[in-house]
Amino acid sequence: MEEQPTRGQVPQDAPSLSTGDRELFGYVGIEAVLDQMRIKTMKMGFEFNIMVVGQSGLGKSTMVNTLFKSKVSRKSACPGYEECIPKTLHLLSVSHVVEEKGVKMKLTVTDTPGFGDQINNQNCWEPIITYINDQYERYLREEILINRKRKIPDTRVHACVYFVPPTGHWLRPLDLEFMRRLSKITNVVPVIAKADTLTLEERAEFKQRIQKDLKAHGIHVYPQEAFDDDPDDRLLNNKIREKIPFAVVGADKEHQANGKKVLGRKTKWGIIEVENPAHCEFPLLRDLLIRSHLQDLKDITHSIHYEQYRMRRLSESNLGAKGGERLALNSINGEPESHL
C-alpha cells in the first residue's frame, strides 16, 4: 500500500522551485518580471549625463567620442591661439540620443572649456559646483510639485570624469582641491590623460603617487568604499580602485593593424590601439562608465548625492519657515525682534 503524503509535504513527482524559505508547487512565472522591466526600459529609454573636466588640449572631446563611438562631443576649432582660451569658464552641454540593439539612451555631455587655463585659477571650480547643484534644484522643484510629471526629466550629473595632466610627478593643488570639493556632490572618476606620453614605468609611478595623494587628503573618488554593500560588488570595486586613475588614450580615427581596423593613434613607431588593454586602460574606463557601473552611477547620484542636497534644502526651508512664524508672533505680541 502506497503511503499518501501528509499535509505540508511535497509530492516527489511534483515540480518545485526553491525560493529560499518557501517552495512553489510548479512554475509561477516570477522570472518574467525581468522581461517586463527590459521591455519597458527599451520603450522608454533612459538618460545618462556625464561631465568632462580638465585643461584644454587633454583630449576630453576625443575621449567622449571614443567612449560612445560616435561624434557626441564636438572639438573646438579656433583660428587663433588667443581665441582658443576662454577668458572665463564656460559650461557647454550637448545632448544626443544613442541607440544600440533597440536600446535608446539620451546622452548629455557637459564640457568645461576654460577650466584651469587661466593664470589665476582661484575658485575656478565654483561654476561647476553651481551647475551641478542647479540640476539637483531643478529635479527637486519638479519632485515636490503637487501634480508632478510621471517621469521627471533627469539632468543631474551622474559621472564627472576628471582629466589629470600627464606630468608624471604628482597631483597639483588645483587637482586636489577640485576633486576634494566635487567628490562630495557627484561621482568623480579621475583619469590620466594622454597616457601614451609616459613610459610604462612612469605611468605606474604616477598612478601610485596619485593614489597616495588621494588617500592622504581624504578624497574618495568613485567607486567609494562606503557604498559597497554587497560582498561581490566590494571585490569587484576593490580591483577597480587598484587601477584608478585609469591611464587612457583617446582616438576617434580607425587605422589598419594586423589585417583589421582598430581605433588608435598612429605614430612613426606603430599604432597605439585604444581598445587594447596592453596599450592603455581605456577599456577599463569604458567598462566602468557603461558596461558594469552605469546604473550604479545613477543610483548613487539619486540615493546619496541628490538625497544629501534634498535634505539640506528642505532643512533650510523648514528653518526659514519657522523663523518667519517666530517673527510674525513677535510682531503680534509686540515683542522686539531678536538678532541672535
Side-chain angles (χ1 to χ4, degrees), residues 123-194:
N123 298 329
C124 63
W125 49 78
E126 288 296 336
I128 298 175
I129 294 177
T130 301
Y131 175 84
I132 294 175
N133 286 331
D134 285 347
Q135 308 317 306
Y136 290 150
E137 182 69 23
R138 179 181 299 182
Y139 193 91
L140 177 62
R141 290 181 180 275
E142 290 286 343
E143 192 179 45
I144 62 178
L145 291 176
I146 297 177
N147 297 320
R148 60 185 181 184
K149 299 176 182 178
R150 185 177 178 181
K151 183 181 179 182
I152 301 176
D154 191 1
T155 60
R156 298 170 296 182
V157 176
H158 301 128
C160 175
V161 181
Y162 184 73
F163 288 70
V164 178
T167 60
H169 299 293
W170 50 76
L171 287 176
R172 303 167 302 170
L174 174 62
D175 303 325
L176 292 169
E177 190 64 22
F178 175 87
M179 286 190 280
R180 185 184 70 83
R181 292 174 179 267
L182 267 292
S183 61
K184 297 178 181 179
I185 61 174
T186 190
N187 301 309
V188 177
V189 181
V191 299
I192 301 175
K194 294 190 173 181

Side-chain angles (χ1 to χ4, degrees), residues 80-86:
Y81 177 74
E82 295 181 355
E83 298 178 9
C84 289
I85 303 180

Side-chain angles (χ1 to χ4, degrees), residues 67-262:
L67 275 173
F68 299 97
K69 293 189 176 181
S70 58
K71 302 292 184 179
V72 295
S73 183
R74 297 180 180 179
K75 299 179 182 178
S76 59
C78 305
Y81 177 74
E82 295 181 355
E83 298 178 9
C84 289
I85 303 180
K87 294 182 179 180
T88 57
L89 175 64
H90 299 286
L91 279 82
L92 306 175
S93 295
V94 180
S95 296
H96 296 271
V97 176
V98 182
E99 184 174 355
E100 183 180 39
K101 294 184 179 180
V103 180
K104 293 183 179 180
M105 179 177 70
K106 182 182 179 183
L107 173 67
T108 301
V109 179
T110 303
D111 197 358
T112 56
F115 176 84
D117 293 338
Q118 311 304 317
I119 297 177
N120 183 7
N121 291 306
Q122 185 177 8
N123 298 329
C124 63
W125 49 78
E126 288 296 336
I128 298 175
I129 294 177
T130 301
Y131 175 84
I132 294 175
N133 286 331
D134 285 347
Q135 308 317 306
Y136 290 150
E137 182 69 23
R138 179 181 299 182
Y139 193 91
L140 177 62
R141 290 181 180 275
E142 290 286 343
E143 192 179 45
I144 62 178
L145 291 176
I146 297 177
N147 297 320
R148 60 185 181 184
K149 299 176 182 178
R150 185 177 178 181
K151 183 181 179 182
I152 301 176
D154 191 1
T155 60
R156 298 170 296 182
V157 176
H158 301 128
C160 175
V161 181
Y162 184 73
F163 288 70
V164 178
T167 60
H169 299 293
W170 50 76
L171 287 176
R172 303 167 302 170
L174 174 62
D175 303 325
L176 292 169
E177 190 64 22
F178 175 87
M179 286 190 280
R180 185 184 70 83
R181 292 174 179 267
L182 267 292
S183 61
K184 297 178 181 179
I185 61 174
T186 190
N187 301 309
V188 177
V189 181
V191 299
I192 301 175
K194 294 190 173 181
D196 53 328
T197 61
L198 301 173
T199 65
L200 295 179
E201 292 77 11
E202 291 172 341
R203 183 190 303 179
E205 292 177 2
F206 192 29
K207 291 182 67 169
Q208 290 180 0
R209 291 187 185 126
I210 291 176
Q211 291 173 355
K212 289 181 180 178
D213 286 344
L214 293 176
K215 187 175 182 180
H217 290 82
I219 300 172
H220 304 287
V221 297
Y222 183 85
Q224 301 92 328
E225 293 185 21
F227 304 150
D228 292 343
D229 298 328
D230 185 76
D232 295 335
D233 293 342
R234 188 178 300 112
L235 291 175
L236 174 61
N237 291 338
N238 284 337
K239 295 179 181 179
I240 295 174
R241 281 186 281 266
E242 292 176 358
K243 298 290 185 179
I244 285 180
F246 299 123
V248 299
V249 178
D252 50 8
K253 293 182 180 180
E254 290 185 337
H255 300 279
Q256 199 76 19
N258 299 324
K260 61 179 181 179
K261 289 185 177 181
V262 295

Side-chain angles (χ1 to χ4, degrees), residues 195 200 203 207 243 246-249 260 262-263 271-287 291:
L200 295 179
R203 183 190 303 179
K207 291 182 67 169
K243 298 290 185 179
F246 299 123
V248 299
V249 178
K260 61 179 181 179
V262 295
L263 282 172
I271 297 176
I272 303 172
E273 302 176 25
V274 299
E275 295 180 305
N276 188 341
H279 291 189
C280 71
E281 295 175 336
F282 168 79
L284 298 178
L285 175 64
R286 180 182 56 194
D287 290 347
R291 298 182 178 179

